[in-house]
Amino acid sequence: MNERASIKEGVVKTVLTTFALSSLLFLFLIFIFILIEGSPLFLKVGLKNIILGSKWAPTKGSFGIFPMIISSFLVTFGALIIGAPLGLSCAIYLSEYSGKRLKMILKPALELLAGIPSVVYGFLGVIYIVPLVRDHLGGSGFSLISTSIILAIMILPTIISISFDSIMSVPKTYREGSYAMGATKWQTIYKIVVPSARSGILASFILGMGRAIGETMAVIMIAGNALKIPMSITDPLRTLTGNIALELAYATGDHRLGLFSTGIVLLVIIMALNYIANFGIKRRS
Amino acid sequence: MRINPRFIDSLMKLSLNIQAFFTVGVLVVIVAIILIKGIGNINLEFIFSFPEDMGRHGGIYPTIIGTIMLAILSIIFATPLGVGTAIFLTEYTKESMLTKIIRFGVESLAGIPSILYGLFGFIFFVIKLKMGWSILSGVLTITIMILPTIIRTSEEAIKAVPKNVRIVSFSLGATKWETVTKVVLPSAAPGILTGIMLSIGRVVGETAAVIFTMGSSLRLPTSIMDSGRTMAVHFYILAREGISMEKAYATALILVFSILLINIVAYYIMNRVISKYS
C-alpha cells in the first residue's frame, strides 16, 4: 500500500468514527436539553409536588402530574391485557400452524399494520370505537377502554413480530422430542415451545408497553384528556404524552418548564422499559 | 373427568385460527374504511389545488410538497450518517467497549417516542438555535429520529455480504475503503434501500415530532426556513378540529396508501435480497 492510500484510509476511518459517534452526541443532546429545561422546576416546586401532586394548574403554580403517570400506566396495561394474548396467539399461529404460502402473505400484512400512522388510528377510534363505548358502556365514550383498544391494535405488530422471531428460534429438535413422547401439537406448544421462547415473548410485551406509553396523537384524540385519575374504564383521562402535546404549542414560562418536567418523567419510564426489554432479548441469545 | 388431549388440540387450533384472522381482519377493515369513505373525494384537483378556508374546500397540494420536502431532505442527511455508522460498526472495528456504547446509543434513540423528539426539536432547533418553526427544524429533528432504523437495516445488510467477497478483494490488493465502496456496498445496496424506504414511510406518517418543529403553515414553502404542513399534520388538524370529514377521509386515503405503497416496495426489495442469499 502506498503512502497516499494509507492517508486516505486514515481519513476515511476518522470520518466514519465521527459519524458513528454522532448517534451518541444526539442522544446526549436530547437528554441534556430536556433535563436543562425540565429540572429547574423540580428544584423550585419540589420533586414530590410534581410527581405525587394531583393538581395540574401550571398558570397558578400547581404542577402535579400524578394522575397522568397513573393514566399512562392504566392505558398501557389496558392495551397489554387486550393486545398481548392476541399478539402471542398470532405469533404461535404464524410459526406453528400456517403453511409457508400463508405465512408469506400474513407476516407482511401484519407488519403493514405498523405502517398506518397513529393519527389515522386515532381518527378511526373517534369515529367507530368512541360511539360504540358510549352506547354500550355509558359515559362520553372518550375513555380508558377506548384508548386501550386502539393502543392494543397499535402494539400488535411489535408483539407479533418479536414473539414470532423468538418462537421460530426454538430448535426443531425440541418439538420433535416432544412429539416422540406422544404429546399433541398443543401440548408441545404450551409446555415446550412457549416456555423456551419465554424471554423473547416477554421482551415483545415490554417493547409493546414502551410503544403504548409513548404514543401521543392517537391518544389525545380518544382519551378525553381530563385532568383526574379515571375511576372506571369509561372515564376520560390524560396521559403524560398527551399533556405535552396538548399544551406545548402555546405554553410559556413556568408552564413550558412543567411540560419539560413531564418529558423527563416520560423519558425515565421509557428508558427503564427499554433497558428491561433489551436485557430479556440479550439473555435469550 | 379427563378431557381428551386431541379435543383440546383441535379446540386450540381453531381458537388460534380465529385470532390470527381477526387480527388480519382488523387491518383489512381499516384499509377498506379509508378506501370506501375517501375514494369519492379524490381527484386530480384535490391533489394539485390549494386548500381554501383552512382545508374545508380545495385540495392538499402544499401539504404534499411539504411531506416530500421533509422526507427527501431527512433521507439526504440520515443516509450518509446511518450507512457510515453501519460501515464503521461492521468493517472498521472489532466488538469492543466503543461499539457496545454506540449500539447502546442507537438502541436508546430507537426507543425514544416521537413526542420527545418533538419536545427536543422544539427547544433545541426552534428556540435555542433560533431556526423557528421551519422545514429545517423539522428535517434535523426527523433525521435523528430515523437514524436508528437506517443504521440497523444497513448493518444487517452489510453483515449479510459473504466474507469471501472481502477476502478476494483484499487479495487483489484493494484497500479496505475500496473493498467497502466497490464490493461490499453494492451487494448490500438493496438491504440499505429497504431501510431507507421504511424510514420514508415513517416520516410520511409522523405527526408529533413534526408539528412542534416544522409548524403547520398552509402556505407553499419556498425555502427551508419556511414553516410547512405535512399531509399527516393536515389530516390531524382536519380531524381533530372537525373542519371537514370528507376532506379528512380523502387526505387519510392518500396518506395511508402512499405509506402502504412505500412499505410494500420496501418488503419487495427485502424479499428479493433474502431469496438471493438463501
Side-chain angles (χ1 to χ4, degrees), chain A residues 1 5 8-9 12-13 16-24 26-27 29-31 33-34 36-37 85-90 92-94 97 102 104 106 108-121 123-124 127-128 153 156 160 184-187 189 210 213-217 220-222 225 241 244-249 251 256 259-260 262-264 266-267 270-271 274-275 278 282, chain B residues 2 5-6 8-9 12-13 15-17 19-24 26-27 30-31 33-34 37 80-85 87-89 92-93 98 101-102 104-120 122-124 127-128 133 143-144 147 151 175-178 201 204-208 211-212 232-233 235-236 239-240 245 248-249 252 255-256 259-260 263-264 267 270-271:
Chain A
M1 206 192 310
K8 198 175 156 198
E9 282 294 310
V12 164
K13 189 163 183 185
L16 290 179
T17 315
T18 318
F19 279 10
L21 289 174
S22 68
S23 291
L24 285 178
F26 295 145
L27 185 66
L29 283 176
I30 291 172
F31 266 88
F33 274 90
I34 292 181
I36 287 179
E37 289 297 307
L86 206 56
L88 181 57
S89 299
C90 285
I92 294 173
Y93 179 80
L94 275 176
Y97 285 95
L102 197 58
M104 290 263 289
L106 285 182
L110 290 170
E111 274 167 15
L112 288 179
L113 260 176
I116 296 174
S118 62
V119 276
V120 172
Y121 282 111
F123 176 64
L124 293 177
I127 304 277
Y128 294 97
I153 299 173
L156 273 174
I160 295 172
T184 64
K185 186 156 196 170
W186 173 248
Q187 286 170 332
I189 292 168
I213 216 164
E215 181 47 53
T216 311
M217 304 316 268
I220 56 180
M221 291 169 94
I222 43 183
N225 304 316
T241 54
I244 299 171
L246 287 164
E247 301 184 356
L248 185 61
R256 185 196 283 165
L259 300 178
F260 279 87
T262 313
I264 293 179
L266 183 63
L267 196 58
I270 296 276
M271 293 307 284
N274 285 338
Y275 182 77
N278 278 335
K282 289 225 175 72
Chain B
R2 194 167 169 272
R6 287 223 197 96
I8 298 177
D9 200 56
M12 289 319 294
K13 187 176 176 183
S15 150
L16 290 173
N17 254 297
Q19 294 188 66
F21 282 92
F22 171 76
T23 309
V24 176
V26 169
L27 172 72
I30 289 174
V31 174
I33 290 172
I34 303 272
K37 300 256 185 171
L81 267 180
V83 176
T85 303
I87 295 172
F88 175 79
L89 286 173
Y92 277 83
T93 45
L98 182 65
I101 294 172
I102 291 171
F104 169 78
V106 176
E107 291 295 324
S108 305
L109 279 182
I112 293 177
S114 56
I115 183 68
L116 290 181
Y117 280 105
L119 198 60
F120 164 73
F122 175 74
I123 198 68
F124 188 63
I127 308 254
K128 299 283 188 223
W133 275 334
T143 299
I144 304 176
L147 198 53
I151 294 175
T175 63
K176 193 160 225 173
W177 183 239
E178 283 167 346
V204 172
E206 181 54 50
T207 314
I211 197 167
F212 298 118
V233 171
F235 169 71
Y236 169 71
R240 180 145 171 89
M245 280 303 123
Y249 272 117
L255 186 62
V256 168
I259 293 171
L260 288 184
N263 286 356
I264 288 170
Y267 285 117
M270 192 165 69
N271 276 334

Side-chain angles (χ1 to χ4, degrees), chain B residues 19 23 55-56 60 62 73 89 96 114 135 137 147 156 158-159 184 203 208 216 220 222 229 235 254-255 269 275:
Chain B
Q19 294 188 66
T23 309
R56 207 165 273 115
I60 55 165
L73 290 173
L89 286 173
S96 65
S114 56
I135 294 193
S137 302
L147 198 53
E156 293 297 319
I158 292 171
K159 273 186 189 160
V184 176
V203 177
S216 56
L220 188 69
T222 49
R229 187 185 285 195
F235 169 71
I254 295 182
L255 186 62
I269 299 169
S275 55

Side-chain angles (χ1 to χ4, degrees), chain A:
Chain A
M1 206 192 310
N2 62 35
E3 204 173 311
R4 240 172 91 199
S6 75
I7 291 173
K8 198 175 156 198
E9 282 294 310
V11 172
V12 164
K13 189 163 183 185
T14 315
V15 171
L16 290 179
T17 315
T18 318
F19 279 10
L21 289 174
S22 68
S23 291
L24 285 178
L25 173 73
F26 295 145
L27 185 66
F28 178 75
L29 283 176
I30 291 172
F31 266 88
I32 287 300
F33 274 90
I34 292 181
L35 279 177
I36 287 179
E37 289 297 307
S39 53
L41 202 67
F42 280 117
L43 299 176
K44 192 168 148 191
V45 184
L47 185 68
K48 202 179 139 211
N49 290 333
I50 293 179
I51 290 182
L52 297 176
S54 60
K55 193 172 169 228
W56 173 263
T59 48
K60 298 193 185 90
S62 300
F63 297 94
I65 57 169
F66 185 65
M68 301 168 204
I69 297 177
I70 296 297
S71 298
S72 276
F73 277 105
L74 283 175
V75 288
T76 303
F77 283 119
L80 213 54
I81 289 169
I82 305 167
L86 206 56
L88 181 57
S89 299
C90 285
I92 294 173
Y93 179 80
L94 275 176
S95 65
E96 308 295 311
Y97 285 95
S98 71
K100 203 175 176 196
R101 188 174 290 170
L102 197 58
K103 207 179 294 185
M104 290 263 289
I105 302 168
L106 285 182
K107 185 131 198 287
L110 290 170
E111 274 167 15
L112 288 179
L113 260 176
I116 296 174
S118 62
V119 276
V120 172
Y121 282 111
F123 176 64
L124 293 177
V126 172
I127 304 277
Y128 294 97
I129 311 258
V130 166
L132 204 69
V133 170
R134 180 170 50 221
D135 294 346
H136 293 94
L137 298 172
S140 67
F142 294 94
S143 59
L144 173 58
I145 181 76
S146 310
T147 314
S148 297
I149 292 172
I150 285 293
L151 285 177
I153 299 173
M154 296 180 71
I155 64 174
L156 273 174
T158 309
I159 294 180
I160 295 172
S161 102
I162 296 170
S163 299
F164 174 81
D165 289 343
S166 115
I167 292 172
M168 288 296 274
S169 71
V170 174
K172 213 173 187 162
T173 47
Y174 285 25
R175 296 180 180 85
E176 283 161 359
S178 169
Y179 292 141
M181 306 283 280
T184 64
K185 186 156 196 170
W186 173 248
Q187 286 170 332
T188 305
I189 292 168
Y190 179 66
K191 299 227 167 101
I192 306 290
V193 177
V194 170
S196 309
R198 192 178 54 232
S199 59
I201 293 171
L202 279 179
S204 83
F205 293 168
I206 295 167
L207 287 176
M209 275 182 78
R211 183 149 186 223
I213 216 164
E215 181 47 53
T216 311
M217 304 316 268
V219 170
I220 56 180
M221 291 169 94
I222 43 183
N225 304 316
L227 282 166
K228 54 181 180 32
I229 299 175
M231 287 305 161
S232 88
I233 56 167
T234 54
D235 277 355
L237 51 86
R238 179 187 292 202
T239 62
L240 291 166
T241 54
N243 194 42
I244 299 171
L246 287 164
E247 301 184 356
L248 185 61
Y250 64 85
T252 52
D254 276 0
H255 184 184
R256 185 196 283 165
L257 299 187
L259 300 178
F260 279 87
S261 305
T262 313
I264 293 179
V265 174
L266 183 63
L267 196 58
V268 169
I269 296 172
I270 296 276
M271 293 307 284
L273 285 176
N274 285 338
Y275 182 77
I276 297 168
N278 278 335
F279 187 72
I281 291 174
K282 289 225 175 72
R283 218 183 54 170
R284 182 194 58 183
S285 58

Side-chain angles (χ1 to χ4, degrees), chain B residues 69-88:
Chain B
M69 280 177 84
L70 178 69
I72 291 181
L73 290 173
S74 311
I75 290 298
I76 288 176
F77 282 116
T79 304
L81 267 180
V83 176
T85 303
I87 295 172
F88 175 79

Side-chain angles (χ1 to χ4, degrees), chain B residues 40-98:
Chain B
N41 295 298
I42 290 196
N43 47 39
L44 281 180
E45 204 198 317
F46 181 70
I47 294 172
F48 290 109
S49 68
F50 282 78
E52 288 156 30
D53 194 12
M54 302 299 289
R56 207 165 273 115
H57 306 288
I60 55 165
Y61 180 63
T63 70
I64 294 178
I65 298 300
T67 308
I68 294 174
M69 280 177 84
L70 178 69
I72 291 181
L73 290 173
S74 311
I75 290 298
I76 288 176
F77 282 116
T79 304
L81 267 180
V83 176
T85 303
I87 295 172
F88 175 79
L89 286 173
T90 49
E91 305 287 320
Y92 277 83
T93 45
K94 293 203 174 69
E95 288 301 311
S96 65
M97 202 60 207
L98 182 65

Side-chain angles (χ1 to χ4, degrees), chain B residues 123-132 140:
Chain B
I123 198 68
F124 188 63
F125 297 121
V126 175
I127 308 254
K128 299 283 188 223
L129 298 185
K130 297 192 171 64
M131 292 177 190
L140 295 174

